[in-house]
Every structure is written in structure tokens, then in C-alpha cells.
């Protein structure tokens, strides 16, 4: 661990100590120069306990320096720390869908031959057309059998005799004897007019297209022996 730490260490915090130790080492190797240096520093500089302590520190620094040099010499360039390389990431490319292969003429013919729903649709159309025609025919027959709406009218007639001696029963019988297509006689009654004379008030229903008021008056006035006049008292559409 210590070796690896020294190999990768880039900052030398104790450089000044090693410089001082290296200087003292060379001064010790060159004896007279070292003595002159000590004389220049003043008396008592080379003797005493402080001198022994300095020599001990010098030896320790030299040992550390030699150890460091050995480690540096033994270390190979491959063991040096290298800065991590930045991985280059290429931008994401948009994946295009595979191109549709054009259909060959043979495949087109096969697709044309295969009709999964065409036949069923044609059959359904035929059935729907037949059903529609059948319903129209039934409706036409039903409409033809249904009787057409006939316009009818309700008429109240006042039939007046000549005098009070006229036989009113005979007069009514003459009126009811008129039979026409689209004419139906209804209820009747005698209504006093004055001086003992009574008139015949009779109800009838007629089909407008077949019987009109003019025709009724003409037919009733034919009995001139009993009938003086005919008036329409009421006329209502049914």
C-alpha cells in the first residue's frame, strides 16, 4: 500500500527536508568543507546534543530518499496512473421502418382471386331487395283492399203538405219509397206548423259523390198530390 501510494503521489510536501538532508550529506562527504561551514556558523555549532540529533535526522532522511529512489527505479511506466478516458457516445439515430416490399403481379392476382366478403355481400343485397319488393307488394295489396274514404253528409229535410187534410202517413211512405245508391233514410217526426197543419221532418245520410240535395228535392216533389215543398233544415258533413 505504501509503495502504491508513493508511486501515485504527485505532491512532495517534504521537499525542503530532503534538500537539507542532501546538502548535509555532501557536506559530511567533503569533511574540510563541512568543518569550515561549521566554523562560519560560530562556536559550539558542531558539538553538543543538538549535533547528534541532526545527524540522526540526516540518516533517516537519507534512508527515506534511497527508498524512494529504489521505488521509482523499479516502477514501470505501465504502472503509472493514467487519466480515465472519456467514452464518446454517438447520438441516437432514428430507426426507420423497413420499406414495404412492392407486391409482384402474381401476388396481386392472388389477392384479386381471394374475395372473403364479396359473395356474402352480394347475397345479402339480393335478399334485402327481395324482402323490400315483397313488403311493397303486400302494402299495395292491403291498400287496395282497404275501402276508400267516402265523403258523406247528414241532411235533415222538412217536407210540407198542402193542408191539414193531407195524409201524413201516406206522405212519409212516399218519401221513404225513394231508393237511390248512396241514400239511407233515418228517423222522422211530425212537427206542427200552425192551423192544424204538420210537416214531416225526416233525416237521411247521403254519399256526396252519388246523391245531392237537388236530386232529393226533385224526387220528393214528384209526389205533388201530397207534397207542397221541400226545405233543407240542416246539412252536416260526416
Amino acid at each position: 500500500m505504501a509503495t502504491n501510494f508513493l508511486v501515485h503521489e504527485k505532491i512532495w510536501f517534504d521537499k525542503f527536508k530532503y534538500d537539507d538532508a542532501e546538502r548535509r550529506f555532501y557536506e559530511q562527504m567533503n569533511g574540510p568543507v563541512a568543518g569550515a561551514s561549521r566554523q562560519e556558523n560560530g562556536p559550539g555549532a558542531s558539538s553538543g546534543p543538538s549535533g547528534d540529533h541532526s545527524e540522526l535526522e540526516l540518516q533517516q532522511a537519507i534512508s527515506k530518499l534511497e527508498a524512494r529512489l529504489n521505488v521509482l527505479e523499479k516502477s514501470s511506466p505501465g504502472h503509472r496512473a493514467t487519466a480515465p478516458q472519456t467514452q464518446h457516445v454517438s447520438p441516437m439515430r432514428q430507426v426507420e421502418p423497413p420499406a414495404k416490399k412492392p407486391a409482384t403481379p402474381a401476388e396481386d392476382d392472388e389477392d384479386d382471386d381471394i374475395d372473403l366478403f364479396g359473395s356474402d355481400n352480394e347475397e345479402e343485397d339480393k335478399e334485402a331487395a327481395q324482402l323490400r319488393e315483397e313488403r311493397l307488394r303486400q302494402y299495395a295489396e292491403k291498400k287496395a283492399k282497404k275501402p276508400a274514404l267516402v265523403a258523406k253528409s247528414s241532411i235533415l229535410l222538412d217536407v210540407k203538405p198542402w193542408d191539414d187534410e193531407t195524409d201524413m202517413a201516406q206522405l212519409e211512405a212516399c218519401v221513404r219509397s225513394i231508393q237511390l245508391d248512396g241514400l239511407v233514410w233515418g228517423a222522422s217526426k211530425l212537427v206542427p206548423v200552425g192551423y192544424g197543419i204538420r210537416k214531416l221532418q225526416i233525416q237521411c245520410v247521403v254519399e256526396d259523390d252519388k246523391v245531392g240535395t237537388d236530386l232529393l228535392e226533385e224526387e220528393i216533389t214528384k209526389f205533388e198530390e201530397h207534397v207542397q215543398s221541400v226545405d233543407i233544415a240542416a246539412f252536416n258533413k260526416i
Side-chain angles (χ1 to χ4, degrees):
M1 295 294 291
T3 303
N4 293 334
F5 175 76
L6 292 174
V7 170
H8 298 292
E9 186 180 17
K10 296 182 180 180
I11 301 175
W12 195 355
F13 294 99
D14 299 333
K15 183 177 184 301
F16 69 95
K17 292 182 179 182
Y18 290 100
D19 293 340
D20 190 19
E22 183 178 5
R23 182 178 57 78
R24 292 180 182 181
F25 173 75
Y26 286 112
E27 288 179 354
Q28 186 178 3
M29 294 288 292
N30 300 327
V33 178
S37 300
R38 284 193 296 269
Q39 289 178 1
E40 293 175 359
N41 292 333
S46 61
S47 61
S50 60
D52 295 338
H53 182 69
S54 300
E55 291 180 357
L56 181 59
E57 290 182 355
L58 178 61
Q59 291 179 359
Q60 291 177 354
I62 292 171
S63 299
K64 291 181 180 180
L65 180 60
E66 290 177 351
R68 179 174 177 79
L69 292 174
N70 291 332
V71 171
L72 293 174
E73 290 177 355
K74 292 180 180 179
S75 63
S76 60
H79 293 165
R80 295 180 182 178
T82 57
Q85 296 180 356
T86 302
Q87 185 177 2
H88 177 69
V89 179
S90 59
M92 183 181 296
R93 294 184 302 173
Q94 185 177 2
V95 179
E96 298 180 356
K100 185 177 179 181
K101 182 181 178 182
T104 60
E107 294 176 352
D108 292 340
D109 295 340
E110 293 178 358
D111 294 339
D112 295 338
D113 295 339
I114 300 175
D115 188 2
L116 300 178
F117 305 101
S119 301
D120 296 338
N121 293 335
E122 293 178 358
E123 294 178 358
E124 292 177 358
D125 293 341
K126 292 180 180 179
E127 292 178 357
Q130 293 176 355
L131 180 61
R132 182 170 59 255
E133 292 177 358
E134 181 65 20
R135 289 181 177 177
L136 291 174
R137 185 182 62 80
Q138 293 177 358
Y139 175 76
E141 293 178 355
K142 184 177 179 181
K143 188 175 181 180
K145 293 179 181 179
K146 183 178 180 180
L149 182 62
V150 179
K152 295 181 179 181
S153 299
S154 175
I155 303 174
L156 182 62
L157 299 173
D158 284 345
V159 182
K160 297 177 181 179
W162 289 104
D163 50 29
D164 57 349
E165 296 180 357
T166 303
D167 188 355
M168 299 303 296
Q170 185 64 33
L171 187 148
E172 182 178 356
C174 293
V175 173
R176 289 184 179 275
S177 66
I178 301 171
Q179 300 293 325
L180 299 173
D181 185 18
L183 172 62
V184 178
W185 294 108
S188 64
K189 65 180 180 179
L190 297 175
V191 179
V193 177
Y195 303 102
I197 301 173
R198 296 179 297 177
K199 63 180 180 181
L200 175 66
Q201 197 170 67
I202 187 169
Q203 184 81 28
C204 68
V205 176
V206 299
E207 295 182 12
D208 296 343
D209 295 338
K210 297 180 180 180
V211 180
T213 57
D214 295 339
L215 179 60
L216 282 176
E217 292 179 6
E218 182 181 353
E219 293 294 329
I220 294 174
T221 54
K222 287 181 178 180
F223 302 100
E224 55 186 13
E225 294 180 358
H226 300 85
V227 178
Q228 177 188 5
S229 64
V230 179
D231 297 325
I232 297 175
F235 184 95
N236 296 311
K237 291 284 185 181
I238 299 177

